[in-house]
Amino acid sequence: NIFQDKRERKNLSLCPDGYSLILHRPRKKSCKMKHITKEQRYTICVMKKEGYSQSDIARTIGKDKSVVSRELSRNSDKRSRKYDADLAQRKYRQRQKDKPKHIRFTEDVKQYVEELINKDYSPEQIAGRAKLEEKKCVSHERIYQHVWKDKKDGGELHEHLRNKGRKYRKRGASKDKRGIIKNRVDIDMRPKIVDEKNRFGDLEIDTVIGKNHKGALLTINERVTSLTWIQLLGGKEAEPVTEKTINALMPIKDMLHTITSDNGKEFAYHEKIAEELDIDMFFAKPYHSWERGANENMNGLIRQYFPKGSSFENISAEDVRRVQDILNNRPRKKLGFLTPIEFFNINFGDIKVAFVT
């Protein structure tokens, strides 16, 4: 009478030894497990030693007789044919370990990934683009693992990553030691609508310098669509920068609102740029690169093709235009992995932009 609940007493049975009791606890249907548990194996072991039939054992553990028969056949000792719960559990664990796993990173997926890496897509862009196009792929973390393994094996996939696997540190300064541009308008004066990023025509601008300060690139991006303009410069002086900026943006002059730059002296003629393009020009605070975050990111993408420390003396306008076309047709995470051209056509298709892809 140690079990006061009548339902508990109904689930008791007496072993053949005359004094051992086995408590049968029927499982709820919603919790019924497919595989035999470790505890059930101990029950099978005890009841088999006591001479119970497979039918009795099956009813006790809540399984079909065929399940018990298969368990005894698969997990008994092959030489002695004896069933031991610990041995059976070890055999079960080993089978689970040796069981073939579903492989998502198949050869077809690997080929798809490597093709896009060779087109300079980042792992995150590859995974995002595959999801957008409903193609089979793996996570960007798994793609990175593949790239690092390839690098360890002597491969060159990492050379197509933005930073080529190199680590870098952020720079900063407490004071700006450069001269202040005359009549500059601080970014605090920029209309708040620019931060909302819901209209076309708010730009950011900067320059990328070649080795030994010989040669430079003028980089311009549109904040909402990430459309990119790149111009080859002979130098970083204010006059050629002003001329190239006006020439690059003149075809879309009527659609422009603002342009934001850093405090480089190459933008000293900002008033001429603003007048010619009928645009408001603002300057970020010194060393506040995050105020032009999209442009900083774009410059990093450009550096993938024109690495820091490389000479710009031997690159041509065609080389620069090729990189511009690549970036404008490269999926971006911020655009839901659409390309800038695709995003522009979907959201601002009614605007005619003089832009060759």
Side-chain angles (χ1 to χ4, degrees), residues 182-218:
K182 184 179 179 180
N183 296 329
R184 66 183 290 281
V185 182
D186 192 83
I187 194 172
D188 288 342
M189 303 299 293
R190 193 174 67 179
K192 298 300 181 183
I193 191 174
V194 178
D195 295 324
E196 296 175 6
K197 293 185 178 181
N198 56 16
R199 69 177 184 181
F200 181 88
D202 294 304
L203 311 177
E204 295 175 349
I205 190 170
D206 197 9
T207 52
V208 175
I209 310 302
K211 184 179 180 180
N212 297 324
H213 289 262
K214 293 182 179 179
L217 299 175
L218 175 68

Side-chain angles (χ1 to χ4, degrees), residues 48 89 126 135 140 146 173 217 249 255 281 294 312 329:
K48 189 174 185 303
Q89 185 69 14
I126 294 171
K135 291 184 177 181
H140 67 276
H146 178 63
L217 299 175
L249 300 178
M255 288 160 280
M281 191 160 180
F312 288 180
N329 289 279

Side-chain angles (χ1 to χ4, degrees), residues 205-210 215-220 231 233 235-237 241 245 261-262 264-267 292 295-296 299 303 312:
I205 190 170
D206 197 9
T207 52
V208 175
I209 310 302
L217 299 175
L218 175 68
T219 66
I220 306 171
Q231 296 288 313
L233 299 169
K236 198 184 175 183
E237 293 78 16
V241 168
T245 301
S261 77
D262 67 2
K265 287 300 185 66
E266 64 270 27
F267 299 113
R292 300 168 25 265
N295 188 261
E296 290 290 324
N299 288 345
R303 282 295 191 187
F312 288 180

